[in-house]
Amino acid sequence: MKKIFCILSILFLSFSHQLISQDLYVDPENGNDHNPATKDFPLQTIKKAVARANSLTGTGTISIKLFPGIYTLEDRIDINPVRVMTDTTRFIIEAVHLPDAVDWTQEKMPKIQSVSGNNSETIFPHSLGFLVASPHVTFRGLKFLGNGNPATPYYYPIAKEDKDLGDLEIVQCYFIGNKEGAAIQAGLYLHGPNTTVSHCIFHECRNGILLFNNVDGFTVRNTIITKSYESAFWLGPDDMPFTFTNNVIVDNNNFIVGRSEDLKYSSPLQNSIIVDNDGYVGYWSRENQHIVPISKPNINDSSIKRKGKVALIENKTVVLPKKHLHLTDDSNSKKLRAGIFMED
């Protein structure tokens, strides 16, 4: 009787664990897509991991955990799980080794690069890395690189096209483009409410973040956007509520581009530094097909620092510095804690 009870207890605990979370591991070097996706026997590709995750029934969080390495996306990956995600359960794609670990280095960050041609026709032909088609999705601790396919002029590593889908998190991620070889049109191309971008770095993307339709409640905090050669942000026409705090916007062509010259954004821009950008706020002129500066934009930026020294830690050796593209120690507003590290 005691033996039967013990077996039943083990089965119950195993079942309960599946209800709480389900982890799928991926290793591009040592994995195999026929493996069971455990830590010791991981899959090889994100495509296979997401396909398996999308087919899981039941309840609980689904976590796809990526070992270090380079992940090549040959086509768009759609996140559209059968399992219903909720406020307390999520669909997560994250690094096995997260940045705040004591022994973390840049080499441990999974790198995701696309070589896909156009794979979406929504509004216009373009290429996506991940299409988020579910609420309650998180990306954490990943480095997104550009698209090396020369036939793809518009590439977005992460997109959400459904304006009714909410609750997307992008945390502790890099988005690094190369306009001469592997361009990123925008790190994030988003519709829908309640997106949070936290502790991220966008470097040399054409645009940092595009936020368009029904994007009420978006949050951008502790994030660095640098060297965008069009704009750090494109925002939709609505005066939506949002949170913008503890950010560094430096050395971009523009800070904000809106839909019209009478744009208005009432939510306060807080505790951030916005310096050394060629333009500040402008709007896209369809007639002239270029960005027109707005001399007195209707935005709430009274607590923004517009002057100060900001320098970033760039790569000068064969090994990336741990705080690559973070603020140097002598930069103003170092206390903003912008960058991929959440802990001091």
Side-chain angles (χ1 to χ4, degrees), residues 72-296:
T72 302
L73 306 187
E74 297 180 352
D75 203 350
R76 188 183 82 200
I77 294 179
D78 293 2
I79 298 175
N80 52 2
V82 173
R83 181 177 296 185
V84 177
M85 300 291 106
T86 70
D87 289 340
T88 57
T89 62
R90 307 192 67 80
F91 190 112
I92 301 171
I93 301 178
E94 66 179 356
V96 169
H97 307 286
L98 292 172
D100 287 311
V102 174
D103 61 346
W104 184 88
T105 62
Q106 288 281 342
E107 290 74 24
K108 292 185 177 181
M109 186 171 247
K111 299 165 185 65
I112 300 172
Q113 182 165 23
S114 180
V115 296
S116 173
N118 290 333
N119 53 38
S120 177
E121 298 294 325
T122 303
I123 304 179
F124 62 95
H126 55 275
S127 177
L128 304 178
F130 292 89
L131 176 61
V132 178
S134 169
H136 312 299
V137 173
T138 296
F139 294 87
R140 183 186 296 124
L142 310 175
K143 181 176 287 187
F144 294 92
L145 306 177
N147 188 333
N149 189 329
T152 306
Y154 301 104
Y155 172 64
Y156 309 94
I158 299 175
K160 180 156 64 74
E161 296 180 341
D162 188 335
K163 67 181 180 62
D164 296 319
L165 284 179
D167 192 6
L168 170 63
E169 293 181 338
I170 302 96
V171 186
Q172 295 183 287
C173 291
Y174 281 93
F175 297 83
I176 299 182
N178 181 335
K179 63 182 179 180
E180 310 299 343
I184 294 177
Q185 176 69 9
L188 302 172
Y189 173 40
L190 305 173
H191 304 271
N194 300 322
T195 291
T196 296
V197 180
S198 172
H199 290 277
C200 290
I201 295 177
F202 297 78
H203 175 75
E204 207 175 273
C205 305
R206 184 183 181 100
N207 301 280
I209 303 173
L210 307 183
L211 292 153
F212 287 137
N213 296 316
N214 193 32
V215 294
D216 291 14
F218 76 80
T219 295
V220 180
R221 59 184 176 84
N222 303 97
T223 286
I224 298 171
I225 303 182
T226 177
K227 294 188 181 299
S228 301
Y229 48 101
E230 190 163 70
S231 187
F233 293 92
W234 277 62
L235 299 180
D238 301 323
D239 184 11
M240 76 299 284
F242 61 80
T243 300
F244 181 97
T245 186
N246 289 71
N247 299 307
V248 175
I249 313 298
V250 58
D251 198 18
N252 302 282
N253 194 27
N254 293 282
F255 168 39
I256 290 176
V257 174
R259 295 279 185 94
S260 66
E261 59 185 322
D262 59 349
L263 62 78
K264 178 182 179 180
Y265 303 123
S266 301
S267 292
L269 308 177
Q270 299 176 315
N271 196 36
S272 299
I273 185 165
I274 302 173
V275 298
D276 298 333
N277 302 287
D278 292 338
Y280 192 51
V281 178
Y283 73 96
W284 175 253
S285 169
R286 290 187 179 276
E287 180 182 357
N288 299 314
Q289 289 295 296
H290 65 77
I291 297 168
V292 178
I294 300 175
S295 59
K296 295 182 179 180

